[in-house]
Amino acid sequence: MTTPSFAELGVGERTVRELAARGIDTPFPIQVATLPDTLAGRDALGRGKTGSGKTLAFCIPLVERLAGTRRSSGPIGLILAPTRELATQIAGVLQPLAAVHALKVTTIFGGVPQGRQAAALKAGVDIVVACPGRLEDLMKQRLLSLDTIRVTVLDEADHMADLGFLPSVTRILAATPAGGHRMLFSATLDNGVDKLVRRFLRNPVTHSVDSAESPVPDMTHHVFHVAGTEAKKELVHRLASGTGRRVLFMRTKHQARKLAKQLTQAGVPSVDLHGNLSQPARDRNLAAFSSGEARVLVATDIAARGVHVDDVELVVHVDPPADHKAYLHRSGRTARAGNAGDVVTVVLPEQRRDHQAIMRKAGIDIRPQQVTVDSEPVQALVGEVAQPTYPRGAASVTPGQPARSRPAGTRQRKPVHERRIPGQVDTAGRQGTRRRRAVRAQRVSGAARTA
C-alpha cells in the first residue's frame, strides 16, 4: 500500500514546501493516521511509542489551524510538555513551520529567569510551548491568560502523570476555552491520563500506532553480564570509545557528571545532562552533542524523553533502569524515525534477577551474554576504528543471540561524527595507534619464532 503524501492528507501547500525543504517528504504512520482528523479540527488522542513522529503529528495541524488567524491580545496556541528539554525540542520542530505562516513561538519553563519569557509574552506571541510549573506561575502573576487559546496540545501525558503534574495540567486545561480544539498524545493512559481524556476531549478520535511496549523493528537489544564493578567500568569505557554518537544512562547526577569527566580525560569527548545543571549549561551540552563536538552524552533519566539527536547509534544502560517504561524510553533515543540503533544494558551479578523481570515486562526476549572488553559482541558495537584508553584483557564470551539480527546484506554502521573538541589533543588516538603497532609487532615476532 502506497503511503499518502502530506498534500494528500490535507496539509497546506506552504507547509508542505517547508517540510520538503527540511527533507521531510513521507509521513510516518502516526501522521498518516491522525492528520486527516486533526486538520479537520477534531479532538484527537494519539498513542504511539517514542520516536514514532508524534511531534510533527501535532505541530502540523497546530500551525495549519492557526494560519491566517488575526493576532489577538494573547496566545492562540498552547503545547504542554513535561520537561524543558522536550519543550525546547518541540519548539525547534515547530518554529520553521510557524514562521511560514507568520506565527510567533516562545517557550516557557523553569530553571531560568522569567524576565525574558515575560517580555516575550508582553511583546505578543501566537504559540506557547510550556512546562506546567512555570506556566502556572506566570498565570498566577497575571502575566499570561489562556482565554484566547484556540488549539491546545498535551504531549507525553503519561510522563506528566509520572512527574506529578496532573493537578497543574488539569487547572491549565480548565483555563482554556471549553470549545477549543484539543489534542493529547501519550504512550499509555494510566495514572490518571484517562481522566484528562474524559474531561477535556470532546468525542475524540483515537489513533494507536504501535503501543509503548511494541519492539522497535530497527532496534537491536543486548544484555551484557559482567563479573564485577571493575569489569563494568572497563566495558563502559570501551563502549563509549566507539564511533558515532552514543548516549549513556546513569542512575544518579553525581555518577553522570563523574563519568563524563573521566571519558573526556581519557580522550573521548563527552558531556553530561542531569538535573543539577542550569538551563544554559544543559543547552550548551546538548548543542555540543548535537554538533558532534562531544561524541558521548552521559545522562540521567532526564534525557529519557524529549531529547532527540539525529544518528544516535548506541544507547548504553550503564545503570539498569528502574522499570520497563524507563527502559523503553531510554532506549528510544536511538533507532528513531526509521533509523537503526543498538541498545546495551550492562548488568552486574546482583542485578540479574531484577533486570530479567524488567525485560520480560518490556516484551523483549533476549539471551544475556557474559562479556569482557575484547568479546566479539563488544567489538562489533565499538567498530574497527575505536581507540580504547585502558589495557585490554583476554576475550571471553558466552554464545548468545541479540533480540533481533540485522537483515542479511546490511553492514556495521559507519561512524557519523568523528570530531574532536576544538583545540583538544587527540591523545587517545595517538595511544591507540601506538598500541596497535605494538600488537602487530608482537604478532610478527611470534610468527617468526614459530616458523
Side-chain angles (χ1 to χ4, degrees), residues 180-258:
H181 180 198
R182 290 168 178 160
M183 293 173 272
L184 185 148
F185 286 77
S186 181
T188 63
L189 292 181
D190 52 8
N191 294 337
V193 176
D194 56 334
K195 295 179 182 178
L196 288 179
V197 174
R198 290 196 299 269
R199 178 172 175 182
F200 292 108
L201 271 65
R202 298 170 301 145
N203 300 318
V205 57
T206 300
H207 294 286
S208 296
V209 180
D210 296 326
S211 70
E213 286 75 24
S214 298
V216 180
D218 293 318
M219 185 183 292
T220 305
H221 301 265
H222 313 261
V223 175
F224 288 168
H225 284 179
V226 291
T229 54
E230 285 303 313
K232 173 181 175 178
K233 181 179 178 180
E234 288 191 353
L235 176 62
V236 169
H237 279 246
R238 177 67 168 160
L239 291 170
S241 71
T243 60
R245 293 192 180 99
R246 334 203 131 210
V247 180
L248 278 54
F249 280 102
M250 310 289 292
R251 186 175 62 255
T252 68
K253 306 168 188 176
H254 170 71
Q255 291 298 326
R257 181 175 62 250
K258 181 179 177 181

Side-chain angles (χ1 to χ4, degrees), residues 54 69 75 87 122 160 208 212-213 265 283 301 330:
K54 289 182 289 183
T69 302
K122 185 175 181 180
M160 297 272 200
S208 296
E213 286 75 24
Q265 290 174 342
D283 293 342
D301 281 344
R330 283 176 167 191

